[in-house]
PDB file of all heavy atoms in Angstrom:
ATOM      1  N   GLN Z 379      18.663  17.487   1.839  1.00 93.00           N
ATOM      2  CA  GLN Z 379      19.617  17.124   0.787  1.00 93.00           C
ATOM      3  C   GLN Z 379      20.934  16.571   1.294  1.00 93.00           C
ATOM      4  O   GLN Z 379      21.562  15.767   0.627  1.00 93.00           O
ATOM      5  CB  GLN Z 379      19.923  18.367  -0.060  1.00 93.00           C
ATOM      6  CG  GLN Z 379      18.902  18.554  -1.149  1.00 93.00           C
ATOM      7  CD  GLN Z 379      19.117  19.837  -1.914  1.00 93.00           C
ATOM      8  OE1 GLN Z 379      19.576  20.835  -1.375  1.00 93.00           O
ATOM      9  NE2 GLN Z 379      18.749  19.801  -3.173  1.00 93.00           N
ATOM     10  N   ASP Z 380      21.358  17.043   2.467  1.00 93.00           N
ATOM     11  CA  ASP Z 380      22.718  16.761   2.903  1.00 93.00           C
ATOM     12  C   ASP Z 380      22.706  15.858   4.134  1.00 93.00           C
ATOM     13  O   ASP Z 380      22.081  16.189   5.146  1.00 93.00           O
ATOM     14  CB  ASP Z 380      23.380  18.112   3.221  1.00 93.00           C
ATOM     15  CG  ASP Z 380      24.869  17.961   3.432  1.00 93.00           C
ATOM     16  OD1 ASP Z 380      25.326  16.818   3.641  1.00 93.00           O
ATOM     17  OD2 ASP Z 380      25.560  18.994   3.396  1.00 93.00           O
ATOM     18  N   LEU Z 381      23.413  14.753   4.047  1.00 94.00           N
ATOM     19  CA  LEU Z 381      23.461  13.789   5.152  1.00 94.00           C
ATOM     20  C   LEU Z 381      23.872  14.461   6.465  1.00 94.00           C
ATOM     21  O   LEU Z 381      23.391  14.090   7.545  1.00 94.00           O
ATOM     22  CB  LEU Z 381      24.454  12.668   4.791  1.00 94.00           C
ATOM     23  CG  LEU Z 381      24.383  11.384   5.600  1.00 94.00           C
ATOM     24  CD1 LEU Z 381      23.017  10.714   5.475  1.00 94.00           C
ATOM     25  CD2 LEU Z 381      25.477  10.420   5.150  1.00 94.00           C
ATOM     26  N   ALA Z 382      24.719  15.466   6.380  1.00 94.00           N
ATOM     27  CA  ALA Z 382      25.213  16.147   7.586  1.00 94.00           C
ATOM     28  C   ALA Z 382      24.071  16.847   8.339  1.00 94.00           C
ATOM     29  O   ALA Z 382      24.194  17.115   9.542  1.00 94.00           O
ATOM     30  CB  ALA Z 382      26.279  17.167   7.195  1.00 94.00           C
ATOM     31  N   ASP Z 383      22.958  17.129   7.657  1.00 93.00           N
ATOM     32  CA  ASP Z 383      21.831  17.822   8.311  1.00 93.00           C
ATOM     33  C   ASP Z 383      20.821  16.843   8.906  1.00 93.00           C
ATOM     34  O   ASP Z 383      19.743  17.249   9.371  1.00 93.00           O
ATOM     35  CB  ASP Z 383      21.084  18.710   7.294  1.00 93.00           C
ATOM     36  CG  ASP Z 383      21.994  19.780   6.730  1.00 93.00           C
ATOM     37  OD1 ASP Z 383      22.942  20.179   7.440  1.00 93.00           O
ATOM     38  OD2 ASP Z 383      21.762  20.200   5.582  1.00 93.00           O
ATOM     39  N   SER Z 384      21.152  15.563   8.902  1.00 94.00           N
ATOM     40  CA  SER Z 384      20.155  14.552   9.260  1.00 94.00           C
ATOM     41  C   SER Z 384      19.629  14.721  10.678  1.00 94.00           C
ATOM     42  O   SER Z 384      18.418  14.640  10.906  1.00 94.00           O
ATOM     43  CB  SER Z 384      20.727  13.152   9.071  1.00 94.00           C
ATOM     44  OG  SER Z 384      21.029  12.965   7.724  1.00 94.00           O
ATOM     45  N   GLU Z 385      20.524  14.946  11.639  1.00 94.00           N
ATOM     46  CA  GLU Z 385      20.074  14.986  13.036  1.00 94.00           C
ATOM     47  C   GLU Z 385      18.979  16.027  13.233  1.00 94.00           C
ATOM     48  O   GLU Z 385      17.946  15.752  13.848  1.00 94.00           O
ATOM     49  CB  GLU Z 385      21.255  15.263  13.980  1.00 94.00           C
ATOM     50  CG  GLU Z 385      21.720  14.047  14.772  1.00 94.00           C
ATOM     51  CD  GLU Z 385      20.651  12.976  15.030  1.00 94.00           C
ATOM     52  OE1 GLU Z 385      19.692  13.255  15.773  1.00 94.00           O
ATOM     53  OE2 GLU Z 385      20.754  11.861  14.484  1.00 94.00           O
ATOM     54  N   ASP Z 386      19.188  17.245  12.706  1.00 92.00           N
ATOM     55  CA  ASP Z 386      18.201  18.332  12.872  1.00 92.00           C
ATOM     56  C   ASP Z 386      16.862  17.943  12.251  1.00 92.00           C
ATOM     57  O   ASP Z 386      15.792  18.202  12.801  1.00 92.00           O
ATOM     58  CB  ASP Z 386      18.670  19.603  12.157  1.00 92.00           C
ATOM     59  CG  ASP Z 386      19.799  20.258  12.936  1.00 92.00           C
ATOM     60  OD1 ASP Z 386      20.058  19.813  14.072  1.00 92.00           O
ATOM     61  OD2 ASP Z 386      20.418  21.185  12.389  1.00 92.00           O
ATOM     62  N   ASN Z 387      16.943  17.318  11.080  1.00 93.00           N
ATOM     63  CA  ASN Z 387      15.711  16.950  10.375  1.00 93.00           C
ATOM     64  C   ASN Z 387      14.961  15.828  11.090  1.00 93.00           C
ATOM     65  O   ASN Z 387      13.733  15.879  11.234  1.00 93.00           O
ATOM     66  CB  ASN Z 387      16.043  16.552   8.935  1.00 93.00           C
ATOM     67  CG  ASN Z 387      16.327  17.763   8.081  1.00 93.00           C
ATOM     68  OD1 ASN Z 387      15.418  18.446   7.655  1.00 93.00           O
ATOM     69  ND2 ASN Z 387      17.601  18.065   7.869  1.00 93.00           N
ATOM     70  N   LEU Z 388      15.714  14.857  11.570  1.00 94.00           N
ATOM     71  CA  LEU Z 388      15.076  13.754  12.293  1.00 94.00           C
ATOM     72  C   LEU Z 388      14.457  14.275  13.584  1.00 94.00           C
ATOM     73  O   LEU Z 388      13.340  13.897  13.957  1.00 94.00           O
ATOM     74  CB  LEU Z 388      16.101  12.660  12.620  1.00 94.00           C
ATOM     75  CG  LEU Z 388      16.702  11.926  11.418  1.00 94.00           C
ATOM     76  CD1 LEU Z 388      17.800  10.972  11.847  1.00 94.00           C
ATOM     77  CD2 LEU Z 388      15.618  11.163  10.666  1.00 94.00           C
ATOM     78  N   ASP Z 389      15.166  15.176  14.221  1.00 93.00           N
ATOM     79  CA  ASP Z 389      14.703  15.747  15.472  1.00 93.00           C
ATOM     80  C   ASP Z 389      13.366  16.490  15.268  1.00 93.00           C
ATOM     81  O   ASP Z 389      12.414  16.323  16.030  1.00 93.00           O
ATOM     82  CB  ASP Z 389      15.803  16.707  15.959  1.00 93.00           C
ATOM     83  CG  ASP Z 389      15.545  17.156  17.362  1.00 93.00           C
ATOM     84  OD1 ASP Z 389      15.334  16.262  18.196  1.00 93.00           O
ATOM     85  OD2 ASP Z 389      15.540  18.383  17.620  1.00 93.00           O
ATOM     86  N   TRP Z 390      13.294  17.266  14.193  1.00 93.00           N
ATOM     87  CA  TRP Z 390      12.058  18.001  13.899  1.00 93.00           C
ATOM     88  C   TRP Z 390      10.890  17.025  13.725  1.00 93.00           C
ATOM     89  O   TRP Z 390       9.821  17.192  14.301  1.00 93.00           O
ATOM     90  CB  TRP Z 390      12.241  18.833  12.616  1.00 93.00           C
ATOM     91  CG  TRP Z 390      11.024  19.659  12.287  1.00 93.00           C
ATOM     92  CD1 TRP Z 390      10.793  20.945  12.662  1.00 93.00           C
ATOM     93  CD2 TRP Z 390       9.867  19.236  11.535  1.00 93.00           C
ATOM     94  NE1 TRP Z 390       9.566  21.358  12.194  1.00 93.00           N
ATOM     95  CE2 TRP Z 390       8.973  20.334  11.505  1.00 93.00           C
ATOM     96  CE3 TRP Z 390       9.491  18.054  10.910  1.00 93.00           C
ATOM     97  CZ2 TRP Z 390       7.739  20.281  10.859  1.00 93.00           C
ATOM     98  CZ3 TRP Z 390       8.247  18.002  10.271  1.00 93.00           C
ATOM     99  CH2 TRP Z 390       7.383  19.102  10.246  1.00 93.00           C
ATOM    100  N   ALA Z 391      11.138  15.981  12.906  1.00 93.00           N
ATOM    101  CA  ALA Z 391      10.049  15.046  12.596  1.00 93.00           C
ATOM    102  C   ALA Z 391       9.593  14.308  13.854  1.00 93.00           C
ATOM    103  O   ALA Z 391       8.396  14.101  14.067  1.00 93.00           O
ATOM    104  CB  ALA Z 391      10.505  14.065  11.523  1.00 93.00           C
ATOM    105  N   ARG Z 392      10.533  13.925  14.686  1.00 94.00           N
ATOM    106  CA  ARG Z 392      10.162  13.179  15.897  1.00 94.00           C
ATOM    107  C   ARG Z 392       9.397  14.069  16.865  1.00 94.00           C
ATOM    108  O   ARG Z 392       8.398  13.636  17.447  1.00 94.00           O
ATOM    109  CB  ARG Z 392      11.417  12.608  16.561  1.00 94.00           C
ATOM    110  CG  ARG Z 392      11.983  11.451  15.744  1.00 94.00           C
ATOM    111  CD  ARG Z 392      13.234  10.890  16.382  1.00 94.00           C
ATOM    112  NE  ARG Z 392      13.784   9.842  15.535  1.00 94.00           N
ATOM    113  CZ  ARG Z 392      15.074   9.691  15.262  1.00 94.00           C
ATOM    114  NH1 ARG Z 392      15.963  10.511  15.766  1.00 94.00           N
ATOM    115  NH2 ARG Z 392      15.471   8.704  14.479  1.00 94.00           N
ATOM    116  N   LYS Z 393       9.846  15.316  17.013  1.00 95.00           N
ATOM    117  CA  LYS Z 393       9.126  16.244  17.912  1.00 95.00           C
ATOM    118  C   LYS Z 393       7.715  16.501  17.381  1.00 95.00           C
ATOM    119  O   LYS Z 393       6.749  16.531  18.133  1.00 95.00           O
ATOM    120  CB  LYS Z 393       9.875  17.585  17.988  1.00 95.00           C
ATOM    121  CG  LYS Z 393      11.014  17.564  18.971  1.00 95.00           C
ATOM    122  CD  LYS Z 393      11.477  19.004  19.239  1.00 95.00           C
ATOM    123  CE  LYS Z 393      12.719  18.976  20.087  1.00 95.00           C
ATOM    124  NZ  LYS Z 393      13.813  19.814  19.554  1.00 95.00           N
ATOM    125  N   CYS Z 394       7.638  16.679  16.086  1.00 95.00           N
ATOM    126  CA  CYS Z 394       6.337  16.932  15.465  1.00 95.00           C
ATOM    127  C   CYS Z 394       5.400  15.752  15.746  1.00 95.00           C
ATOM    128  O   CYS Z 394       4.255  15.931  16.174  1.00 95.00           O
ATOM    129  CB  CYS Z 394       6.548  17.130  13.965  1.00 95.00           C
ATOM    130  SG  CYS Z 394       5.038  17.413  13.078  1.00 95.00           S
ATOM    131  N   TYR Z 395       5.919  14.540  15.536  1.00 95.00           N
ATOM    132  CA  TYR Z 395       5.098  13.350  15.750  1.00 95.00           C
ATOM    133  C   TYR Z 395       4.661  13.247  17.215  1.00 95.00           C
ATOM    134  O   TYR Z 395       3.499  12.944  17.497  1.00 95.00           O
ATOM    135  CB  TYR Z 395       5.871  12.103  15.318  1.00 95.00           C
ATOM    136  CG  TYR Z 395       5.077  10.845  15.544  1.00 95.00           C
ATOM    137  CD1 TYR Z 395       4.037  10.501  14.686  1.00 95.00           C
ATOM    138  CD2 TYR Z 395       5.342  10.026  16.635  1.00 95.00           C
ATOM    139  CE1 TYR Z 395       3.282   9.367  14.910  1.00 95.00           C
ATOM    140  CE2 TYR Z 395       4.598   8.883  16.858  1.00 95.00           C
ATOM    141  CZ  TYR Z 395       3.564   8.559  15.994  1.00 95.00           C
ATOM    142  OH  TYR Z 395       2.815   7.448  16.222  1.00 95.00           O
ATOM    143  N   ARG Z 396       5.580  13.535  18.126  1.00 96.00           N
ATOM    144  CA  ARG Z 396       5.228  13.434  19.557  1.00 96.00           C
ATOM    145  C   ARG Z 396       4.093  14.404  19.905  1.00 96.00           C
ATOM    146  O   ARG Z 396       3.224  14.102  20.704  1.00 96.00           O
ATOM    147  CB  ARG Z 396       6.450  13.742  20.434  1.00 96.00           C
ATOM    148  CG  ARG Z 396       7.339  12.521  20.653  1.00 96.00           C
ATOM    149  CD  ARG Z 396       8.229  12.685  21.884  1.00 96.00           C
ATOM    150  NE  ARG Z 396       9.152  13.799  21.777  1.00 96.00           N
ATOM    151  CZ  ARG Z 396      10.340  13.743  21.148  1.00 96.00           C
ATOM    152  NH1 ARG Z 396      10.723  12.611  20.586  1.00 96.00           N
ATOM    153  NH2 ARG Z 396      11.129  14.794  21.099  1.00 96.00           N
ATOM    154  N   THR Z 397       4.086  15.564  19.267  1.00 96.00           N
ATOM    155  CA  THR Z 397       3.028  16.553  19.522  1.00 96.00           C
ATOM    156  C   THR Z 397       1.673  16.047  19.039  1.00 96.00           C
ATOM    157  O   THR Z 397       0.641  16.273  19.662  1.00 96.00           O
ATOM    158  CB  THR Z 397       3.379  17.871  18.779  1.00 96.00           C
ATOM    159  OG1 THR Z 397       4.687  18.241  19.146  1.00 96.00           O
ATOM    160  CG2 THR Z 397       2.399  18.975  19.091  1.00 96.00           C
ATOM    161  N   ILE Z 398       1.712  15.338  17.921  1.00 95.00           N
ATOM    162  CA  ILE Z 398       0.449  14.934  17.283  1.00 95.00           C
ATOM    163  C   ILE Z 398      -0.028  13.569  17.775  1.00 95.00           C
ATOM    164  O   ILE Z 398      -1.222  13.255  17.724  1.00 95.00           O
ATOM    165  CB  ILE Z 398       0.640  14.925  15.744  1.00 95.00           C
ATOM    166  CG1 ILE Z 398       0.989  16.335  15.271  1.00 95.00           C
ATOM    167  CG2 ILE Z 398      -0.605  14.447  15.020  1.00 95.00           C
ATOM    168  CD1 ILE Z 398       1.488  16.387  13.844  1.00 95.00           C
TER     169      ILE Z 398
END
Side-chain angles (χ1 to χ4, degrees):
Q379 275 175 328
D380 191 344
L381 196 60
D383 299 332
S384 297
E385 254 333 293
D386 286 351
N387 284 282
L388 295 174
D389 191 52
W390 182 93
R392 288 179 183 137
K393 277 194 187 130
C394 179
Y395 179 76
R396 275 201 298 277
T397 307
I398 298 167

